[in-house]
Amino acid sequence: MSHTAHIRSHRKPRRSASTIAMRAGVASGVLGTLAVATAAGSANAAEPVTQTLELPVFTGDLAAQVAQSAQATQQAAANYQLDAERDAAAAAAAKEAKKDLAAAKKAEAKKKAEEARKAAAEAASRGAERTTLATTSGSSSTSTSTATGSAAAVIAFVKAQIGDAYVSGGTGPNSWDCSGLVQAAFKQVGVDLPRVSQDQSMRGTQVSLDNLQPGDILYWGGRGSAYHVAVYVGDGMFVGAQNPSTGVVERPLSYDPPTGAVRVL
Protein backbone atom coordinates (compact mmCIF):
# COMPACT_ATOMS: atom_id res chain seq x y z
CA MET A 1 0.00 0.00 0.00
CA SER A 2 1.14 3.49 -0.74
CA HIS A 3 2.62 5.40 2.06
CA THR A 4 -0.01 8.04 1.42
CA ALA A 5 -2.94 5.79 1.21
CA HIS A 6 -3.94 6.46 4.71
CA ILE A 7 -4.32 10.08 3.92
CA ARG A 8 -7.85 10.70 2.92
CA SER A 9 -7.16 13.42 0.41
CA HIS A 10 -4.74 11.26 -1.44
CA ARG A 11 -7.07 8.32 -1.94
CA LYS A 12 -8.31 7.64 -5.46
CA PRO A 13 -11.97 8.33 -5.50
CA ARG A 14 -14.14 5.36 -6.16
CA ARG A 15 -16.68 5.32 -8.84
CA SER A 16 -20.17 5.46 -7.63
CA ALA A 17 -22.88 3.13 -8.78
CA SER A 18 -24.87 6.02 -10.16
CA THR A 19 -21.99 7.09 -12.32
CA ILE A 20 -21.59 3.60 -13.64
CA ALA A 21 -25.28 3.35 -14.28
CA MET A 22 -25.32 6.68 -16.06
CA ARG A 23 -22.46 5.62 -18.23
CA ALA A 24 -24.17 2.39 -18.91
CA GLY A 25 -27.31 4.27 -19.83
CA VAL A 26 -25.41 6.52 -22.09
CA ALA A 27 -23.80 3.55 -23.74
CA SER A 28 -27.06 1.79 -24.11
CA GLY A 29 -28.54 4.99 -25.47
CA VAL A 30 -25.80 5.20 -28.02
CA LEU A 31 -26.28 1.59 -28.92
CA GLY A 32 -30.01 2.16 -29.12
CA THR A 33 -29.44 5.12 -31.36
CA LEU A 34 -27.18 3.01 -33.53
CA ALA A 35 -29.76 0.30 -33.54
CA VAL A 36 -32.43 2.77 -34.57
CA ALA A 37 -30.15 4.23 -37.22
CA THR A 38 -29.32 0.76 -38.38
CA ALA A 39 -32.98 -0.12 -38.45
CA ALA A 40 -33.74 3.07 -40.28
CA GLY A 41 -30.91 2.37 -42.67
CA SER A 42 -32.21 -1.13 -43.09
CA ALA A 43 -35.67 0.24 -43.66
CA ASN A 44 -34.32 2.69 -46.21
CA ALA A 45 -32.31 -0.06 -47.83
CA ALA A 46 -35.41 -2.23 -48.01
CA GLU A 47 -37.23 0.22 -50.24
CA PRO A 48 -35.44 -0.97 -53.42
CA VAL A 49 -36.46 -4.47 -52.46
CA THR A 50 -40.06 -3.33 -52.37
CA GLN A 51 -39.57 -1.68 -55.79
CA THR A 52 -37.86 -4.82 -57.07
CA LEU A 53 -41.01 -6.76 -56.21
CA GLU A 54 -42.84 -4.57 -58.67
CA LEU A 55 -40.37 -5.44 -61.48
CA PRO A 56 -42.39 -8.37 -62.78
CA VAL A 57 -45.08 -5.91 -63.90
CA PHE A 58 -42.49 -3.71 -65.62
CA THR A 59 -40.80 -6.82 -67.02
CA GLY A 60 -44.11 -7.95 -68.51
CA ASP A 61 -44.50 -4.64 -70.33
CA LEU A 62 -40.92 -4.86 -71.48
CA ALA A 63 -41.50 -8.39 -72.75
CA ALA A 64 -44.48 -7.17 -74.77
CA GLN A 65 -42.39 -4.35 -76.21
CA VAL A 66 -39.59 -6.77 -76.98
CA ALA A 67 -42.06 -9.11 -78.66
CA GLN A 68 -43.46 -6.25 -80.71
CA SER A 69 -39.96 -5.14 -81.61
CA ALA A 70 -39.03 -8.70 -82.62
CA GLN A 71 -42.18 -8.96 -84.72
CA ALA A 72 -41.41 -5.64 -86.40
CA THR A 73 -37.85 -6.82 -87.01
CA GLN A 74 -39.11 -10.05 -88.53
CA GLN A 75 -41.56 -8.11 -90.73
CA ALA A 76 -38.79 -5.75 -91.82
CA ALA A 77 -36.58 -8.75 -92.60
CA ALA A 78 -39.39 -10.35 -94.58
CA ASN A 79 -39.97 -7.12 -96.50
CA TYR A 80 -36.25 -6.82 -97.15
CA GLN A 81 -36.14 -10.40 -98.42
CA LEU A 82 -39.20 -9.76 -100.62
CA ASP A 83 -37.60 -6.60 -102.01
CA ALA A 84 -34.39 -8.51 -102.64
CA GLU A 85 -36.30 -11.26 -104.45
CA ARG A 86 -38.15 -8.68 -106.54
CA ASP A 87 -34.90 -6.92 -107.40
CA ALA A 88 -33.33 -10.23 -108.35
CA ALA A 89 -36.33 -11.13 -110.51
CA ALA A 90 -36.25 -7.71 -112.19
CA ALA A 91 -32.53 -8.03 -112.83
CA ALA A 92 -33.01 -11.51 -114.29
CA ALA A 93 -35.86 -10.27 -116.50
CA ALA A 94 -33.77 -7.33 -117.70
CA LYS A 95 -30.88 -9.65 -118.45
CA GLU A 96 -33.15 -12.02 -120.37
CA ALA A 97 -34.70 -9.11 -122.28
CA LYS A 98 -31.25 -7.83 -123.16
CA LYS A 99 -30.28 -11.29 -124.33
CA ASP A 100 -33.44 -11.59 -126.45
CA LEU A 101 -32.82 -8.13 -127.93
CA ALA A 102 -29.27 -9.07 -128.83
CA ALA A 103 -30.51 -12.28 -130.45
CA ALA A 104 -33.18 -10.37 -132.37
CA LYS A 105 -30.64 -7.81 -133.58
CA LYS A 106 -28.32 -10.62 -134.63
CA ALA A 107 -31.13 -12.36 -136.52
CA GLU A 108 -32.14 -9.08 -138.17
CA ALA A 109 -28.54 -8.39 -139.18
CA LYS A 110 -28.26 -11.91 -140.57
CA LYS A 111 -31.50 -11.45 -142.50
CA LYS A 112 -30.32 -8.13 -143.95
CA ALA A 113 -26.99 -9.65 -144.89
CA GLU A 114 -28.78 -12.51 -146.66
CA GLU A 115 -31.06 -10.08 -148.47
CA ALA A 116 -28.05 -7.99 -149.51
CA ARG A 117 -26.31 -11.13 -150.75
CA LYS A 118 -29.33 -12.15 -152.81
CA ALA A 119 -29.69 -8.63 -154.19
CA ALA A 120 -26.02 -8.60 -155.16
CA ALA A 121 -26.36 -12.00 -156.82
CA GLU A 122 -29.46 -10.87 -158.72
CA ALA A 123 -27.71 -7.65 -159.76
CA ALA A 124 -24.70 -9.63 -160.96
CA SER A 125 -26.98 -12.01 -162.87
CA ARG A 126 -28.89 -9.09 -164.37
CA GLY A 127 -25.62 -7.43 -165.39
CA ALA A 128 -24.45 -10.63 -167.06
CA GLU A 129 -27.74 -10.91 -168.95
CA ARG A 130 -27.53 -7.30 -170.09
CA THR A 131 -23.94 -7.77 -171.22
CA THR A 132 -24.95 -10.84 -173.20
CA LEU A 133 -27.97 -9.04 -174.60
CA ALA A 134 -25.92 -6.02 -175.64
CA THR A 135 -23.41 -8.27 -177.36
CA THR A 136 -26.20 -10.17 -179.11
CA SER A 137 -27.97 -7.02 -180.24
CA GLY A 138 -24.71 -5.51 -181.45
CA SER A 139 -23.81 -8.52 -183.52
CA SER A 140 -27.31 -8.90 -184.94
CA SER A 141 -27.47 -5.28 -186.02
CA THR A 142 -25.41 -6.18 -189.07
CA SER A 143 -27.92 -8.77 -190.20
CA THR A 144 -31.63 -8.69 -190.77
CA SER A 145 -33.99 -11.12 -189.05
CA THR A 146 -36.87 -11.88 -191.35
CA ALA A 147 -40.12 -12.83 -189.66
CA THR A 148 -42.58 -15.07 -191.45
CA GLY A 149 -46.14 -16.21 -190.94
CA SER A 150 -47.89 -15.18 -187.74
CA ALA A 151 -44.78 -13.47 -186.32
CA ALA A 152 -44.56 -11.24 -189.40
CA ALA A 153 -48.23 -10.24 -188.99
CA VAL A 154 -47.71 -9.38 -185.30
CA ILE A 155 -44.63 -7.28 -186.10
CA ALA A 156 -46.38 -5.49 -188.95
CA PHE A 157 -49.24 -4.56 -186.62
CA VAL A 158 -47.09 -3.11 -183.79
CA LYS A 159 -44.90 -1.17 -186.23
CA ALA A 160 -48.02 0.33 -187.76
CA GLN A 161 -48.88 1.80 -184.34
CA ILE A 162 -45.55 3.61 -183.85
CA GLY A 163 -46.28 7.23 -183.01
CA ASP A 164 -49.61 6.50 -181.32
CA ALA A 165 -50.18 7.93 -177.84
CA TYR A 166 -49.64 6.07 -174.60
CA VAL A 167 -52.71 6.05 -172.37
CA SER A 168 -53.02 3.91 -169.28
CA GLY A 169 -55.70 1.29 -169.96
CA GLY A 170 -55.68 2.11 -173.67
CA THR A 171 -56.56 -0.68 -176.12
CA GLY A 172 -56.57 1.28 -179.43
CA PRO A 173 -57.12 2.08 -182.08
CA ASN A 174 -55.08 5.30 -181.64
CA SER A 175 -53.87 5.07 -178.02
CA TRP A 176 -52.42 2.15 -176.11
CA ASP A 177 -50.81 0.98 -172.97
CA CYS A 178 -48.09 -1.68 -173.17
CA SER A 179 -50.23 -4.77 -172.60
CA GLY A 180 -53.13 -3.37 -174.65
CA LEU A 181 -50.85 -3.07 -177.70
CA VAL A 182 -49.42 -6.60 -177.24
CA GLN A 183 -52.88 -8.11 -176.77
CA ALA A 184 -54.22 -6.41 -179.92
CA ALA A 185 -51.17 -7.47 -181.98
CA PHE A 186 -51.49 -11.16 -181.16
CA LYS A 187 -55.26 -11.03 -181.63
CA GLN A 188 -54.54 -10.34 -185.34
CA VAL A 189 -53.20 -13.92 -185.64
CA GLY A 190 -55.83 -15.61 -183.45
CA VAL A 191 -53.84 -15.74 -180.20
CA ASP A 192 -55.99 -14.64 -177.25
CA LEU A 193 -53.73 -13.15 -174.58
CA PRO A 194 -54.71 -11.93 -171.10
CA ARG A 195 -55.20 -8.20 -170.68
CA VAL A 196 -52.44 -7.31 -168.21
CA SER A 197 -48.65 -7.63 -168.39
CA GLN A 198 -48.35 -9.85 -165.30
CA ASP A 199 -50.52 -12.54 -166.90
CA GLN A 200 -49.00 -12.11 -170.37
CA SER A 201 -45.52 -12.84 -168.94
CA MET A 202 -46.83 -16.24 -167.77
CA ARG A 203 -48.09 -17.39 -171.20
CA GLY A 204 -46.16 -19.50 -173.69
CA THR A 205 -42.66 -20.84 -173.17
CA GLN A 206 -39.91 -19.07 -171.29
CA VAL A 207 -36.94 -18.27 -173.59
CA SER A 208 -33.50 -16.83 -172.84
CA LEU A 209 -32.64 -13.32 -173.92
CA ASP A 210 -29.75 -14.56 -176.05
CA ASN A 211 -32.07 -16.81 -178.08
CA LEU A 212 -34.80 -14.38 -179.08
CA GLN A 213 -36.90 -14.71 -182.22
CA PRO A 214 -39.08 -12.06 -183.88
CA GLY A 215 -42.56 -12.12 -182.37
CA ASP A 216 -41.40 -13.07 -178.84
CA ILE A 217 -42.98 -11.14 -175.97
CA LEU A 218 -40.46 -9.25 -173.81
CA TYR A 219 -41.25 -8.42 -170.18
CA TRP A 220 -39.76 -6.26 -167.47
CA GLY A 221 -39.94 -7.33 -163.81
CA GLY A 222 -40.47 -10.84 -162.52
CA ARG A 223 -42.35 -13.47 -164.47
CA GLY A 224 -45.87 -13.32 -163.12
CA SER A 225 -45.22 -9.85 -161.66
CA ALA A 226 -44.10 -8.01 -164.81
CA TYR A 227 -44.82 -4.29 -164.96
CA HIS A 228 -44.13 -3.78 -168.72
CA VAL A 229 -44.26 -5.78 -171.97
CA ALA A 230 -43.29 -5.24 -175.62
CA VAL A 231 -42.77 -7.23 -178.84
CA TYR A 232 -39.33 -8.22 -180.13
CA VAL A 233 -39.23 -7.36 -183.85
CA GLY A 234 -35.75 -8.68 -184.72
CA ASP A 235 -32.37 -7.09 -185.35
CA GLY A 236 -32.02 -6.32 -181.61
CA MET A 237 -35.08 -4.05 -181.63
CA PHE A 238 -38.45 -4.04 -179.91
CA VAL A 239 -41.68 -2.08 -180.28
CA GLY A 240 -43.79 -1.11 -177.32
CA ALA A 241 -46.03 1.52 -175.80
CA GLN A 242 -43.40 2.90 -173.45
CA ASN A 243 -44.85 5.83 -171.50
CA PRO A 244 -46.92 9.02 -171.90
CA SER A 245 -43.82 10.97 -172.99
CA THR A 246 -42.77 8.70 -175.85
CA GLY A 247 -45.94 6.85 -176.80
CA VAL A 248 -45.47 3.79 -179.05
CA VAL A 249 -41.84 3.60 -180.15
CA GLU A 250 -39.23 1.26 -181.61
CA ARG A 251 -36.07 0.97 -179.49
CA PRO A 252 -32.93 -1.20 -179.30
CA LEU A 253 -32.76 -3.78 -176.49
CA SER A 254 -29.85 -1.86 -174.97
CA TYR A 255 -32.15 1.17 -174.51
CA ASP A 256 -34.00 -0.64 -171.73
CA PRO A 257 -32.86 -4.27 -171.34
CA PRO A 258 -35.81 -6.55 -170.50
CA THR A 259 -35.86 -9.07 -167.70
CA GLY A 260 -37.08 -12.06 -169.70
CA ALA A 261 -39.08 -13.27 -172.68
CA VAL A 262 -41.82 -15.78 -173.55
CA ARG A 263 -42.73 -17.33 -176.90
CA VAL A 264 -46.39 -17.89 -177.76
CA LEU A 265 -46.06 -18.52 -181.55
Side-chain angles (χ1 to χ4, degrees):
M1 175 181 295
S2 171
H3 65 278
T4 60
H6 64 281
I7 302 175
R8 184 176 185 82
S9 57
H10 290 278
R11 290 180 183 178
K12 189 176 182 180
R14 298 187 180 188
R15 298 176 180 174
S16 62
S18 60
T19 300
I20 295 171
M22 183 183 66
R23 290 181 176 179
V26 171
S28 62
V30 172
L31 293 174
T33 301
L34 292 174
V36 171
T38 303
S42 300
N44 291 333
E47 289 180 1
V49 175
T50 302
Q51 293 176 356
T52 302
L53 294 177
E54 295 177 359
L55 284 177
V57 178
F58 179 75
T59 302
D61 294 339
L62 181 61
Q65 294 178 3
V66 170
Q68 292 178 356
S69 177
Q71 185 177 2
T73 302
Q74 291 178 354
Q75 184 63 40
N79 292 338
Y80 177 79
Q81 183 177 0
L82 180 60
D83 291 341
E85 292 176 353
R86 288 176 179 174
D87 292 343
K95 184 177 180 181
E96 189 67 20
K98 185 176 180 180
K99 183 179 178 181
D100 292 342
L101 181 60
K105 287 183 177 179
K106 185 176 180 180
E108 183 66 18
K110 185 177 180 181
K111 181 180 178 181
K112 288 183 178 180
E114 182 64 18
E115 290 176 351
R117 185 192 66 77
K118 288 182 178 179
E122 290 177 358
S125 177
R126 180 74 60 82
E129 289 181 356
R130 289 181 178 180
T131 300
T132 302
L133 182 59
T135 302
T136 303
S137 61
S139 60
S140 62
S141 62
T142 59
S143 61
T144 302
S145 297
T146 303
T148 60
S150 297
V154 169
I155 293 170
F157 179 86
V158 294
K159 284 188 173 184
Q161 314 312 315
I162 293 175
D164 285 354
Y166 175 96
V167 175
S168 179
T171 57
N174 299 314
S175 62
W176 314 85
D177 65 10
C178 63
S179 57
L181 177 61
V182 172
Q183 183 187 47
F186 281 86
K187 189 175 183 180
Q188 304 304 311
V189 295
V191 177
D192 188 15
L193 292 178
R195 172 66 183 85
V196 295
S197 58
Q198 293 91 336
D199 294 334
Q200 289 178 3
S201 67
M202 294 294 293
R203 297 300 294 268
T205 304
Q206 183 83 9
V207 295
S208 64
L209 295 175
D210 58 356
N211 191 31
L212 294 175
Q213 293 181 4
D216 288 343
I217 299 175
L218 306 176
Y219 64 84
W220 285 256
R223 189 178 187 193
S225 59
Y227 58 86
H228 183 63
V229 289
V231 176
Y232 179 65
V233 296
D235 295 329
M237 305 293 287
F238 69 88
V239 173
Q242 290 298 102
N243 53 61
S245 298
T246 63
V248 180
V249 293
E250 183 176 12
R251 292 286 188 268
L253 294 173
S254 58
Y255 168 78
D256 185 13
T259 304
V262 292
R263 185 170 297 157
V264 296
L265 296 176

